[in-house]
Structure formats: C-alpha cells, structure tokens
Amino acid sequence: MKIFNTHGINIEKTALNNFLYSGFDFDDREYELRSKFILLNSVVSIGLLVISLLTVFLWWNGKIDLAVVNGLFIVLNVYLLYALRRSENAYKKVIPLILLNGILWIAISLTAFPDEQIRVAWFLIMIMFSYYLGAYRLGISATALSMLALFSVVYFVDTSFNSYTLTLAVTMMILTALFSNLYEKRNKHAREILLRMNDNAQEMIKSKTEKSLDLYKNSTQELIRKSEKLKEQKEVFEHLAYHDILTGLPNRTLFHDRIEHAVEKAKRNKTEFAVLFLDIDRFKEINDTFGHQIGDGVLRIVADRLHEELRALDSIARLGGDEFTVLVEDLNNIYSTEDIAQKLIQVLKDPIEVKGYKFYITNSIGISIYPHDGEDAEVLLESADSAMYAAKRDGGNMHQYHTREMTEQAYERVMLESSIRQAVNNEEFVLHYQPQINTQTGELIGVEALVRWQQPEMGVVFPVSFMPLVEATGLIISLGEWVLHTAATQMTAWQKKGFDPGHIAVNLSVKQLRDESIIAMIENVLRETECKPEWIEFEITESYTMKNPDQSIKLLKRIKEIGVGLAIDDFGTGFSSLSYLKRLPVDMLKIDRSFISDIPGNHENEKLVKTIISMSENLGLEVLAEGVETEEQKLFLQQKGCSNIQGYLYAKPMSADEIAEMFKTKELSEG
C-alpha cells in the first residue's frame, strides 16, 4: 500500500516506515513540511536506537553516570517523539526542544569525556539540522547555544582544548552555520522559483484554456446561428414548396396531401367531407384588359376574403390562375356545405378595389362529396371541377353539386330557407296549444305551445318539415323569441279575461340555450308582455342536459331564478345520470310519446314507464305522459301513478280561440 506520491517519489509502507513515519497526511503544497517531518522522525528514532545501544555498553563498562544521563536523554526524546506523532501542530514546538536536548546531551558528553574532542562534531550536525529543520532563526539559535555550550564546558571543565582547537571549533561552527544557511536559502529560493513557475504555468494554462473556451463558445454560437439560419431557410423552402407565392395559401401539392389525410380519417370514422372547386367568373377579361399586376391584386383580395370567411377547421388552397379549392371536413349534412358555398359566393358581393379600379366579382363553385363522388384526391377534385363548369354553364355566381340529385336538394333547400325567412317577416307562423290534463280531477293544468307554418301555397306545415332547417340556418333564435313573446302575450290576455290554463309550456332549442342573450331575452319578453314568470314553463330536451351537465345546471339555475317552471321533454330517449338529474332544477319529467304508443302490451316500455314514474316520485318531481291516445293507455298510467297526460285522447293542438271556448264550456272531448 502506498502512503503518498509526490514529485514522482513513492514511499512504500513497510515495517521500518511504520516505525519512522509520523502517520500524518499533507497536501501537495506541504511537501517541504512532510519531508522535514519524515527526516526528523527518522533521525530522532534512529538516534534513539543508537544511543540506547551505547547506553547499554556504557552501563556494561561501569560508566554509570554517563549511562544515567543517556537514559534521561532517551526518555525526554521518546516523550518528544510521542508528542510529535500525536499532533502535526506540535512540530514547531517539538523541534527546538529536541535540538536543545541534543545540545545539552553533547555538552554533558564532553564534560564526562573531556579528552574526546571529536564529540564537538555533533554540534556541527545539530547546527546543520537546525537550519534544515527550523530554518534561519532556529539555525542561529542552535549555533549560539552550541558555542555557549562549548565555551561553558571549556571554562568549567578541565579539558584538553587549547586556544587553537577552540578557535578551530568555533570557526567550523560559524562556517557550518553560514554554509547551511546559504544552502537552505538557495533551496528555498529554488522552491519559490518553482512555485512561481508553477503558478505562471497554471495562469498560462488557465488563460489558454479560457481563450480556447471562448473560441469554442464563439464557434459554437456561430454554428448555432448558421444552424438557425439553415433551419429558417429550410422552412422558407418548405413553405415555398407547399404554398402559393402570390396569395400565401396552400398550393396543389399540399391540398392534395390534405385530401388524402381527410380520406384516411373519414374511412376510420365512417364520416363524409366535401371538396369545393371555385373559379372566378370572367377573370380572364380583367387580366387581358388591365394587366397581370391588377389581376394579381384582385386574386390576393379574393384569397383573403375567402380565407376569412371559412371555419378554422376548413382548408383553402390556390391551384393556379383564378382557381381555388376548399376542403370541408366534419361534414354533418349536406346543408353545412351549402352554407359554406353560399358564404363564399356572398363574400365577393362587395366591390374589389385595386389601384383605383373597382371590380365586381362573382364566382362559380363545384362541390363533390366523399365517398359518393370519389374515394381519392384526384377523383374528388375532378368531380368538383366538372360541377364547377356546370355552374358556369348555368350562368355563374352559383354553386352546383357533382350529382343532379344533390343540386336539386340544394335548390329546394335554398328556396325553403328563403320562404322561411319571408314567413318570419310576413307573420305566417302561428301557435297552437295542446291541453295538459289531470286525469284524477279532469282539470286543465297547462297547455303546450306548438308552432305551425301557414304557408300560402302549401297550407299548414308542421314543425317536422321545417324545424331542422330553422335550426341549421340559425333562424331558431328569432323564431324562438317570437314563440315565447306570442305565448306570453296570449297567456296575459287569457288571465285578464279570467281564463287560467295553469301554465304555457314553451320549448327551448339547444341553439337558444347556447345563445348568450337568452336570460336577457326571457326577462325582456316577460316584462314587455306583463306575463308573470310562474305562468311559463320551459321544456328542455334530455340530450341537452346530458351533453354538458355542469354547464347545463348553471344555466338552468339562472333561468329558474327568474321564477319560471322547468320540465325535461322527451324523457327516456337520452341517457340521464341520476346524480345529475338530482341536481337539475326541474319541476317535471315528460315521458316521451314513443314509450306510450305501444302500452300496455310492450313489456320493455311498460317497465321503463313504471321506472320513470317511480323515479319522479322519489325525486319529488311531477310526471306527465305525452302522446296518450287510448283509454287503455290512460288507465295503465293512472294505475302506475301518473295522472297528468297530454294527447289526442283529450284534445289535439288547437288555436287560442278554441282554447278560450274550451275554458268557457269546461268540456274536454276525447280524440
């Protein structure tokens, strides 16, 4: 095992070193101290061994006094050696004591053996070790003490020293001190030079290292800058590869790729999507007459308008020239595509101004539907392209589907939508009211307001024929407000005449409930019509309450705070959670007519109806059955605990005048 390794010198731990070595560790800067430590331990230890042997021989030869002095010297030095080995901090205290002890021992030896002048040489050795071990101050002290000891022995003891011998001894001591001091200074100076060289070398290495690190850092930063620049250039090239330079829109390559992704998604989800092919009507005339710069300006404005009009989930591209394409994903029905096509036509109705010139632009749009008109990008684009040319042949500024059937449906829808908008303005909508009866008492507990369209050409149109279109076009907001206003006005009129039907049930659609102004609308209508809130009951579909239960609960609580009643319509057709149902601020559950139509007889529906009735009782809610048409149905519902019914058994939906007449006569006819 190695104790330490300094400047290439290895000291193996042997039995002798165990005896000589002090046992302390020093760092690399304490090499001198370590060397002196080891030397002092070695000299004192070996010296004690030699003197111990001499002491034995002195005792054996009868020189008892000198043996005793040697013994005292040995004991004192053993103690000093022990103290030295116990603590490295005792080094500076122990060295002077060991040297002083040695000088006294030499002086005593000269006194005991006055004729042995050779012992004076030990003073020289002590002086040399003093300079080596203790440096300058200890060396001077050892020299002075050695000469003092020598003069004391000569003065007090009868020795054979003569003046010449004494002078020679003193001269040797002084010369020894001078040479030892010079040697130590040179050695110390050399060490200082080495340390300075080492420090300089470290500073130079540090400086070079820092310069190298700075150079590396600068090189790294330059590489990073170049890498970022290359990345930016790559992004620019990629953008140019997949986008149109003039408009910044995706080009044919990127649009083709997006269609392929849409195909994969539609296959997985079994959904449909549409591709619209748009071409500006008579754009060639603009280019030929005003030049390509003006034409390019027109194209940029057209691209911006088209892009702004689309939904975030739709994709638009410029294929080249005046041809644009649009990808409409998440297609719910043909009508959503119809709406987008109409918007893309209407968005260009305002004039486009470029460099002082005004242009009135129209466009023609062809539509293809996946998978009906193709199952890959090329076929879908070709189908939409051919549909676009069909639109141009019919005069332009319109859209056409790839199939005539879809075009006819779209035409019918446009005409129907136009008729509905006119019907709102022309007040062609009317309300009919269907009574709600308590079968136990035979009393009227309320009426449900049902909208009808009195179309001049088609006659009375029921909601099933026009309500989906009203919902899709957003007309339900204005129509719904009209229904509530009309119903509230009628209720106020009945109350003033002394007729009390209990309440009027008014349906609220999902779009109405999502309208931010619904609370204000309800409050305004009630205030304008002087209708009390408790005269109105709103019917909410079960599917709405379960789609976002937490949000539904918050909104329904706000509506409930107005003072109106709340009922869940068509209950049983959705998937209501009992935990949410308990939190809903509703007053009544209306059993859907689909469960009433075949009872009694259908055991599954019988169980479901009984469960709804039982659950309503447990929750403290009223329950009403819709679509009751037979006496058997009424009896079954009564037996199971449902007394409130609505249906043809008692009355069909009727006009306000018929309801008033019914109030007067208090007669309710079946069927």
mmCIF file of all heavy atoms in Angstrom, residues 398-426:
data_model
loop_
_atom_site.group_PDB
_atom_site.id
_atom_site.type_symbol
_atom_site.label_atom_id
_atom_site.label_comp_id
_atom_site.label_asym_id
_atom_site.label_seq_id
_atom_site.Cartn_x
_atom_site.Cartn_y
_atom_site.Cartn_z
ATOM 1 N N MET A 398 -72.971 30.983 -58.766
ATOM 2 C CA MET A 398 -73.792 29.975 -58.102
ATOM 3 C C MET A 398 -72.929 28.740 -57.842
ATOM 4 O O MET A 398 -71.749 28.697 -58.210
ATOM 5 C CB MET A 398 -74.989 29.589 -58.987
ATOM 6 C CG MET A 398 -74.593 28.965 -60.324
ATOM 7 S SD MET A 398 -76.009 28.533 -61.351
ATOM 8 C CE MET A 398 -76.796 27.315 -60.328
ATOM 9 N N HIS A 399 -73.519 27.776 -57.167
ATOM 10 C CA HIS A 399 -72.787 26.528 -56.929
ATOM 11 C C HIS A 399 -73.623 25.349 -57.443
ATOM 12 O O HIS A 399 -74.846 25.417 -57.531
ATOM 13 C CB HIS A 399 -72.483 26.354 -55.435
ATOM 14 C CG HIS A 399 -73.703 26.159 -54.585
ATOM 15 N ND1 HIS A 399 -74.425 27.211 -54.071
ATOM 16 C CD2 HIS A 399 -74.334 25.029 -54.174
ATOM 17 C CE1 HIS A 399 -75.429 26.741 -53.366
ATOM 18 N NE2 HIS A 399 -75.411 25.415 -53.418
ATOM 19 N N GLN A 400 -72.898 24.284 -57.782
ATOM 20 C CA GLN A 400 -73.528 23.064 -58.260
ATOM 21 C C GLN A 400 -72.852 21.871 -57.586
ATOM 22 O O GLN A 400 -71.647 21.884 -57.340
ATOM 23 C CB GLN A 400 -73.359 22.918 -59.782
ATOM 24 C CG GLN A 400 -74.154 23.906 -60.604
ATOM 25 C CD GLN A 400 -75.570 23.417 -60.857
ATOM 26 O OE1 GLN A 400 -76.079 22.567 -60.137
ATOM 27 N NE2 GLN A 400 -76.216 23.968 -61.871
ATOM 28 N N TYR A 401 -73.663 20.846 -57.274
ATOM 29 C CA TYR A 401 -73.100 19.583 -56.797
ATOM 30 C C TYR A 401 -72.743 18.716 -57.998
ATOM 31 O O TYR A 401 -73.251 18.916 -59.106
ATOM 32 C CB TYR A 401 -74.101 18.857 -55.897
ATOM 33 C CG TYR A 401 -74.220 19.474 -54.530
ATOM 34 C CD1 TYR A 401 -75.173 20.459 -54.283
ATOM 35 C CD2 TYR A 401 -73.385 19.084 -53.495
ATOM 36 C CE1 TYR A 401 -75.286 21.032 -53.035
ATOM 37 C CE2 TYR A 401 -73.487 19.656 -52.244
ATOM 38 C CZ TYR A 401 -74.437 20.631 -52.016
ATOM 39 O OH TYR A 401 -74.537 21.205 -50.775
ATOM 40 N N HIS A 402 -71.904 17.755 -57.738
ATOM 41 C CA HIS A 402 -71.490 16.879 -58.831
ATOM 42 C C HIS A 402 -72.656 16.063 -59.356
ATOM 43 O O HIS A 402 -72.734 15.759 -60.546
ATOM 44 C CB HIS A 402 -70.359 15.947 -58.356
ATOM 45 C CG HIS A 402 -69.886 15.000 -59.416
ATOM 46 N ND1 HIS A 402 -70.124 13.645 -59.358
ATOM 47 C CD2 HIS A 402 -69.209 15.222 -60.565
ATOM 48 C CE1 HIS A 402 -69.589 13.067 -60.430
ATOM 49 N NE2 HIS A 402 -69.028 13.994 -61.177
ATOM 50 N N THR A 403 -73.604 15.712 -58.458
ATOM 51 C CA THR A 403 -74.774 14.943 -58.886
ATOM 52 C C THR A 403 -75.983 15.869 -58.968
ATOM 53 O O THR A 403 -76.148 16.780 -58.157
ATOM 54 C CB THR A 403 -75.076 13.793 -57.901
ATOM 55 O OG1 THR A 403 -75.342 14.356 -56.614
ATOM 56 C CG2 THR A 403 -73.881 12.866 -57.785
ATOM 57 N N ARG A 404 -76.823 15.636 -59.932
ATOM 58 C CA ARG A 404 -78.020 16.466 -60.122
ATOM 59 C C ARG A 404 -78.948 16.367 -58.917
ATOM 60 O O ARG A 404 -79.580 17.357 -58.524
ATOM 61 C CB ARG A 404 -78.753 16.023 -61.390
ATOM 62 C CG ARG A 404 -80.015 16.830 -61.677
ATOM 63 C CD ARG A 404 -80.591 16.454 -63.014
ATOM 64 N NE ARG A 404 -79.683 16.781 -64.096
ATOM 65 C CZ ARG A 404 -79.574 17.992 -64.639
ATOM 66 N NH1 ARG A 404 -80.335 18.980 -64.179
ATOM 67 N NH2 ARG A 404 -78.732 18.230 -65.611
ATOM 68 N N GLU A 405 -78.990 15.180 -58.306
ATOM 69 C CA GLU A 405 -79.882 14.993 -57.155
ATOM 70 C C GLU A 405 -79.505 15.954 -56.035
ATOM 71 O O GLU A 405 -80.358 16.609 -55.436
ATOM 72 C CB GLU A 405 -79.798 13.540 -56.674
ATOM 73 C CG GLU A 405 -80.670 13.262 -55.456
ATOM 74 C CD GLU A 405 -80.474 11.843 -54.954
ATOM 75 O OE1 GLU A 405 -79.699 11.088 -55.579
ATOM 76 O OE2 GLU A 405 -81.098 11.503 -53.931
ATOM 77 N N MET A 406 -78.210 16.038 -55.759
ATOM 78 C CA MET A 406 -77.775 16.940 -54.696
ATOM 79 C C MET A 406 -78.015 18.389 -55.075
ATOM 80 O O MET A 406 -78.358 19.224 -54.233
ATOM 81 C CB MET A 406 -76.287 16.708 -54.385
ATOM 82 C CG MET A 406 -76.008 15.422 -53.637
ATOM 83 S SD MET A 406 -74.289 15.323 -53.111
ATOM 84 C CE MET A 406 -74.332 13.798 -52.176
ATOM 85 N N THR A 407 -77.856 18.712 -56.327
ATOM 86 C CA THR A 407 -78.094 20.096 -56.769
ATOM 87 C C THR A 407 -79.559 20.457 -56.592
ATOM 88 O O THR A 407 -79.901 21.563 -56.139
ATOM 89 C CB THR A 407 -77.676 20.253 -58.243
ATOM 90 O OG1 THR A 407 -76.285 19.933 -58.371
ATOM 91 C CG2 THR A 407 -77.899 21.680 -58.714
ATOM 92 N N GLU A 408 -80.446 19.497 -56.939
ATOM 93 C CA GLU A 408 -81.874 19.754 -56.764
ATOM 94 C C GLU A 408 -82.228 19.916 -55.291
ATOM 95 O O GLU A 408 -83.022 20.784 -54.921
ATOM 96 C CB GLU A 408 -82.679 18.604 -57.388
ATOM 97 C CG GLU A 408 -82.586 18.568 -58.910
ATOM 98 C CD GLU A 408 -83.260 17.340 -59.497
ATOM 99 O OE1 GLU A 408 -83.681 16.472 -58.682
ATOM 100 O OE2 GLU A 408 -83.365 17.243 -60.730
ATOM 101 N N GLN A 409 -81.602 19.076 -54.426
ATOM 102 C CA GLN A 409 -81.851 19.198 -52.994
ATOM 103 C C GLN A 409 -81.372 20.553 -52.485
ATOM 104 O O GLN A 409 -82.041 21.190 -51.659
ATOM 105 C CB GLN A 409 -81.142 18.074 -52.229
ATOM 106 C CG GLN A 409 -81.739 16.706 -52.455
ATOM 107 C CD GLN A 409 -80.940 15.624 -51.754
ATOM 108 O OE1 GLN A 409 -79.949 15.902 -51.090
ATOM 109 N NE2 GLN A 409 -81.383 14.384 -51.901
ATOM 110 N N ALA A 410 -80.211 20.957 -52.980
ATOM 111 C CA ALA A 410 -79.672 22.252 -52.556
ATOM 112 C C ALA A 410 -80.589 23.387 -53.005
ATOM 113 O O ALA A 410 -80.837 24.341 -52.251
ATOM 114 C CB ALA A 410 -78.270 22.446 -53.134
ATOM 115 N N TYR A 411 -81.123 23.266 -54.208
ATOM 116 C CA TYR A 411 -82.029 24.297 -54.717
ATOM 117 C C TYR A 411 -83.303 24.359 -53.859
ATOM 118 O O TYR A 411 -83.761 25.446 -53.481
ATOM 119 C CB TYR A 411 -82.381 23.995 -56.177
ATOM 120 C CG TYR A 411 -83.399 24.955 -56.751
ATOM 121 C CD1 TYR A 411 -83.022 26.249 -57.127
ATOM 122 C CD2 TYR A 411 -84.728 24.562 -56.900
ATOM 123 C CE1 TYR A 411 -83.965 27.134 -57.643
ATOM 124 C CE2 TYR A 411 -85.669 25.432 -57.414
ATOM 125 C CZ TYR A 411 -85.277 26.717 -57.789
ATOM 126 O OH TYR A 411 -86.208 27.581 -58.286
ATOM 127 N N GLU A 412 -83.819 23.176 -53.560
ATOM 128 C CA GLU A 412 -85.022 23.133 -52.736
ATOM 129 C C GLU A 412 -84.754 23.728 -51.357
ATOM 130 O O GLU A 412 -85.599 24.431 -50.793
ATOM 131 C CB GLU A 412 -85.516 21.688 -52.595
ATOM 132 C CG GLU A 412 -86.050 21.102 -53.895
ATOM 133 C CD GLU A 412 -86.401 19.634 -53.749
ATOM 134 O OE1 GLU A 412 -86.221 19.113 -52.620
ATOM 135 O OE2 GLU A 412 -86.851 19.021 -54.727
ATOM 136 N N ARG A 413 -83.583 23.454 -50.836
ATOM 137 C CA ARG A 413 -83.245 23.983 -49.515
ATOM 138 C C ARG A 413 -83.149 25.503 -49.557
ATOM 139 O O ARG A 413 -83.629 26.195 -48.660
ATOM 140 C CB ARG A 413 -81.917 23.398 -49.030
ATOM 141 C CG ARG A 413 -81.481 23.952 -47.672
ATOM 142 C CD ARG A 413 -80.136 23.366 -47.266
ATOM 143 N NE ARG A 413 -79.722 23.874 -45.979
ATOM 144 C CZ ARG A 413 -79.059 24.999 -45.768
ATOM 145 N NH1 ARG A 413 -78.758 25.769 -46.813
ATOM 146 N NH2 ARG A 413 -78.719 25.390 -44.560
ATOM 147 N N VAL A 414 -82.503 26.018 -50.594
ATOM 148 C CA VAL A 414 -82.380 27.474 -50.721
ATOM 149 C C VAL A 414 -83.762 28.112 -50.813
ATOM 150 O O VAL A 414 -84.047 29.141 -50.174
ATOM 151 C CB VAL A 414 -81.515 27.841 -51.947
ATOM 152 C CG1 VAL A 414 -81.563 29.341 -52.197
ATOM 153 C CG2 VAL A 414 -80.079 27.396 -51.726
ATOM 154 N N MET A 415 -84.622 27.493 -51.611
ATOM 155 C CA MET A 415 -85.964 28.038 -51.760
ATOM 156 C C MET A 415 -86.738 27.963 -50.445
ATOM 157 O O MET A 415 -87.447 28.907 -50.062
ATOM 158 C CB MET A 415 -86.717 27.264 -52.858
ATOM 159 C CG MET A 415 -86.112 27.423 -54.252
ATOM 160 S SD MET A 415 -86.027 29.162 -54.781
ATOM 161 C CE MET A 415 -87.761 29.573 -54.826
ATOM 162 N N LEU A 416 -86.570 26.830 -49.726
ATOM 163 C CA LEU A 416 -87.267 26.667 -48.456
ATOM 164 C C LEU A 416 -86.752 27.669 -47.432
ATOM 165 O O LEU A 416 -87.538 28.285 -46.690
ATOM 166 C CB LEU A 416 -87.091 25.235 -47.939
ATOM 167 C CG LEU A 416 -87.801 24.905 -46.621
ATOM 168 C CD1 LEU A 416 -89.309 25.109 -46.761
ATOM 169 C CD2 LEU A 416 -87.489 23.466 -46.196
ATOM 170 N N GLU A 417 -85.436 27.852 -47.406
ATOM 171 C CA GLU A 417 -84.854 28.818 -46.474
ATOM 172 C C GLU A 417 -85.365 30.220 -46.772
ATOM 173 O O GLU A 417 -85.718 30.987 -45.862
ATOM 174 C CB GLU A 417 -83.322 28.786 -46.554
ATOM 175 C CG GLU A 417 -82.644 29.768 -45.600
ATOM 176 C CD GLU A 417 -81.131 29.740 -45.739
ATOM 177 O OE1 GLU A 417 -80.589 28.778 -46.316
ATOM 178 O OE2 GLU A 417 -80.483 30.704 -45.268
ATOM 179 N N SER A 418 -85.429 30.557 -48.043
ATOM 180 C CA SER A 418 -85.936 31.875 -48.430
ATOM 181 C C SER A 418 -87.394 32.039 -48.000
ATOM 182 O O SER A 418 -87.796 33.101 -47.507
ATOM 183 C CB SER A 418 -85.797 32.059 -49.945
ATOM 184 O OG SER A 418 -86.328 33.299 -50.356
ATOM 185 N N SER A 419 -88.175 30.965 -48.174
ATOM 186 C CA SER A 419 -89.596 31.023 -47.791
ATOM 187 C C SER A 419 -89.744 31.187 -46.283
ATOM 188 O O SER A 419 -90.627 31.921 -45.807
ATOM 189 C CB SER A 419 -90.317 29.753 -48.249
ATOM 190 O OG SER A 419 -90.276 29.640 -49.656
ATOM 191 N N ILE A 420 -88.877 30.502 -45.533
ATOM 192 C CA ILE A 420 -88.956 30.604 -44.067
ATOM 193 C C ILE A 420 -88.633 32.019 -43.617
ATOM 194 O O ILE A 420 -89.296 32.578 -42.735
ATOM 195 C CB ILE A 420 -88.007 29.581 -43.407
ATOM 196 C CG1 ILE A 420 -88.527 28.158 -43.650
ATOM 197 C CG2 ILE A 420 -87.873 29.850 -41.907
ATOM 198 C CD1 ILE A 420 -87.588 27.079 -43.168
ATOM 199 N N ARG A 421 -87.600 32.609 -44.229
ATOM 200 C CA ARG A 421 -87.242 33.987 -43.858
ATOM 201 C C ARG A 421 -88.410 34.946 -44.172
ATOM 202 O O ARG A 421 -88.711 35.861 -43.399
ATOM 203 C CB ARG A 421 -85.984 34.416 -44.602
ATOM 204 C CG ARG A 421 -84.735 33.651 -44.169
ATOM 205 C CD ARG A 421 -83.471 34.180 -44.862
ATOM 206 N NE ARG A 421 -82.316 33.363 -44.535
ATOM 207 C CZ ARG A 421 -81.574 33.527 -43.428
ATOM 208 N NH1 ARG A 421 -81.886 34.472 -42.562
ATOM 209 N NH2 ARG A 421 -80.536 32.743 -43.206
ATOM 210 N N GLN A 422 -89.057 34.714 -45.305
ATOM 211 C CA GLN A 422 -90.211 35.552 -45.646
ATOM 212 C C GLN A 422 -91.366 35.298 -44.681
ATOM 213 O O GLN A 422 -92.101 36.225 -44.320
ATOM 214 C CB GLN A 422 -90.656 35.271 -47.079
ATOM 215 C CG GLN A 422 -89.665 35.746 -48.140
ATOM 216 C CD GLN A 422 -90.123 35.396 -49.543
ATOM 217 O OE1 GLN A 422 -91.216 34.874 -49.741
ATOM 218 N NE2 GLN A 422 -89.278 35.687 -50.527
ATOM 219 N N ALA A 423 -91.503 34.035 -44.251
ATOM 220 C CA ALA A 423 -92.600 33.689 -43.345
ATOM 221 C C ALA A 423 -92.461 34.413 -42.015
ATOM 222 O O ALA A 423 -93.464 34.847 -41.422
ATOM 223 C CB ALA A 423 -92.627 32.178 -43.118
ATOM 224 N N VAL A 424 -91.211 34.562 -41.548
ATOM 225 C CA VAL A 424 -90.989 35.300 -40.298
ATOM 226 C C VAL A 424 -91.410 36.748 -40.472
ATOM 227 O O VAL A 424 -92.099 37.332 -39.623
ATOM 228 C CB VAL A 424 -89.509 35.201 -39.866
ATOM 229 C CG1 VAL A 424 -89.245 36.100 -38.661
ATOM 230 C CG2 VAL A 424 -89.146 33.761 -39.544
ATOM 231 N N ASN A 425 -91.023 37.328 -41.611
ATOM 232 C CA ASN A 425 -91.353 38.743 -41.863
ATOM 233 C C ASN A 425 -92.849 38.944 -42.119
ATOM 234 O O ASN A 425 -93.419 39.977 -41.757
ATOM 235 C CB ASN A 425 -90.547 39.266 -43.049
ATOM 236 C CG ASN A 425 -89.050 39.257 -42.781
ATOM 237 O OD1 ASN A 425 -88.629 39.419 -41.634
ATOM 238 N ND2 ASN A 425 -88.247 39.061 -43.817
ATOM 239 N N ASN A 426 -93.458 37.932 -42.771
ATOM 240 C CA ASN A 426 -94.879 38.062 -43.142
ATOM 241 C C ASN A 426 -95.823 37.536 -42.062
ATOM 242 O O ASN A 426 -97.038 37.449 -42.297
ATOM 243 C CB ASN A 426 -95.150 37.312 -44.450
ATOM 244 C CG ASN A 426 -94.367 37.900 -45.617
ATOM 245 O OD1 ASN A 426 -93.961 39.066 -45.576
ATOM 246 N ND2 ASN A 426 -94.154 37.105 -46.655
#
